[in-house]
Amino acid sequence: MKRPRVVSERKRAILERSPPPSNRSRPHFWLKDESRREIEEALAGTGPLPLYISKTAEAEMRNHSVSSGNQNLEAMGLLLGDVFAHSKKSYTVVKNVVTTDLQASGVSVSFHRNGFETLFDRLDEADFDYVIVGWYHSHPGYTCFMSPKDIETQRRMFREDFHFAVVLDPLKLQIEAFTLYGEGCISVPFAVYWEEHEDPYGRKKLSLKPR
Amino acid sequence: MTTRISVKNAETGSSVEMELEAENTVEEIIESAASYWEVSPGAYVLRRGKAVLRGQSTIVEAKIREGDVVELIPDPEGG
């Protein structure tokens, strides 16, 4: 019996596109002051950061990790987005996240074996041609780092330069993004961005027109 | 007789055209795709629409037909 045979491949092109502008991007508010300053400086520079996360995706990850953390459980999901290039550098944009029922404890997490149909429903609800650009999970109360199991997951599934792992600690209010580097992972700077029509930090002035 | 399907790699957006025989299993589809993209086959599930395709099913049992598009989805574990 013959094994399945790959006869052709169609690669996805990386489009040239400007990253989210600095007036609609900011460091995450769970970051320490030093990290926030570094990201603010990088946002004021010319090149893109390696990773941009939409305010919507950030809020969903954070809320998921907080609600699970209140039960001393880890949270987890997939990062949906795309990869772009600008100034000869590639960068990743996370537009949304998806998750489903989990098999979780305070120190481990995976998708529940009966949860895939819900996960696929949510993938189908994405209103864009997504790439799964990484995953997020939480460490309730034991800080942000990549454990040996996390690094193994990153090696097995998320080994491209544009793949990232976001780790949140909802009890210590910490967040960090990682990518593979050598035998392990390194922390990478990222920004939270929002669309022009959004105003997540209430910065737009109210326009009160006289009647 | 062979069946030709498209396998999408959800992690890169790339896809391959794959030729199958009736006796081929879902597990073999995952292994062939994973081998082609040099990733670990045990770390993925295969979906067609909203359904998970189970590993030991043949393509006949899984009702995979000419022109179907299936997608390789990562199944991460964190700790």
Side-chain angles (χ1 to χ4, degrees):
Chain A
M1 182 180 71
K2 284 186 189 170
R3 293 181 69 78
R5 188 171 73 90
V6 172
V7 291
S8 64
E9 182 181 23
R10 186 171 54 83
K11 291 198 173 191
R12 186 183 178 105
I14 295 180
L15 300 177
E16 182 79 22
R17 185 173 293 181
S18 298
S22 57
N23 65 346
R24 284 194 283 112
S25 308
R26 59 161 56 180
H28 196 280
F29 65 98
W30 278 3
L31 291 174
K32 291 176 185 158
D33 287 348
E34 188 183 335
S35 300
R36 289 175 60 86
R37 273 195 299 276
E38 283 172 10
I39 291 167
E40 278 163 0
E41 283 172 19
L43 285 170
T46 52
L49 293 178
L51 176 63
Y52 294 82
I53 300 173
S54 76
K55 188 73 186 97
T56 305
E58 179 277 328
E60 284 196 28
M61 283 190 282
R62 181 163 42 85
N63 291 340
H64 187 199
S65 67
V66 167
S67 63
S68 298
N70 288 339
Q71 303 166 71
N72 194 31
L73 298 174
E74 291 197 5
M76 188 184 80
L78 300 174
L79 310 177
L80 306 189
D82 209 341
V83 186
F84 299 103
H86 181 70
S87 302
K88 296 180 179 171
K89 283 186 182 172
S90 71
Y91 65 94
T92 296
V93 174
V94 176
K95 296 179 182 173
N96 213 337
V97 297
V98 289
T99 188
T100 185
D101 294 338
L102 301 172
Q103 295 176 151
S105 72
V107 292
S108 69
V109 65
S110 60
F111 292 134
H112 194 283
R113 298 301 90 184
N114 295 329
F116 286 108
E117 289 187 13
T118 303
L119 186 76
F120 301 160
D121 264 340
R122 289 174 183 165
L123 287 172
D124 287 338
E125 285 165 9
D127 57 357
F128 61 100
D129 185 18
Y130 62 80
V131 175
I132 297 176
V133 292
W135 62 305
Y136 74 89
H137 76 291
S138 62
H139 290 170
Y142 52 105
T143 74
C144 299
F145 60 94
M146 291 290 277
S147 70
K149 190 191 283 185
D150 301 337
I151 293 171
E152 182 63 15
T153 286
Q154 201 71 17
R155 274 209 201 107
R156 292 175 78 196
M157 284 164 253
F158 301 109
R159 42 194 263 179
E160 302 289 340
D161 291 345
F162 56 80
H163 284 154
F164 294 93
V166 175
V167 183
L168 306 96
D169 183 338
L171 304 185
K172 292 187 185 295
L173 307 185
Q174 294 177 5
I175 185 169
E176 203 160 344
F178 298 89
T179 194
L180 275 184
Y181 186 79
E183 296 297 305
C185 287
I186 53 166
S187 177
V188 293
F190 71 96
V192 177
Y193 77 96
W194 58 97
E195 301 294 341
E196 211 161 2
H197 64 275
E198 297 174 316
D199 186 24
Y201 300 102
R203 299 170 83 183
K204 283 183 187 167
K205 288 179 183 169
L206 285 174
S207 170
L208 298 173
K209 290 180 183 170
R211 292 184 179 177
Chain B
M1 185 174 163
T2 60
T3 301
R4 191 175 282 211
I5 63 166
S6 181
V7 183
K8 183 181 176 189
N9 182 345
E11 293 172 341
T12 63
S14 299
S15 59
V16 291
E17 293 286 314
M18 195 178 273
E19 270 184 3
L20 311 174
E21 298 199 349
E23 304 79 23
N24 286 144
T25 62
V26 168
E27 194 168 41
E28 288 172 338
I29 296 173
I30 295 174
E31 284 170 0
S32 293
S35 166
Y36 184 82
W37 283 312
E38 298 180 342
V39 294
S40 172
Y44 296 88
V45 295
L46 197 65
R47 78 152 174 151
R48 184 185 51 201
K50 300 187 192 322
V52 187
L53 300 178
R54 300 291 173 190
Q56 294 303 322
S57 311
T58 65
I59 68 163
V60 174
E61 289 163 347
K63 298 186 171 69
I64 292 175
R65 297 191 178 90
E66 180 80 15
D68 273 356
V69 177
V70 296
E71 189 174 28
L72 208 54
I73 303 289
D75 183 13
E77 279 182 66

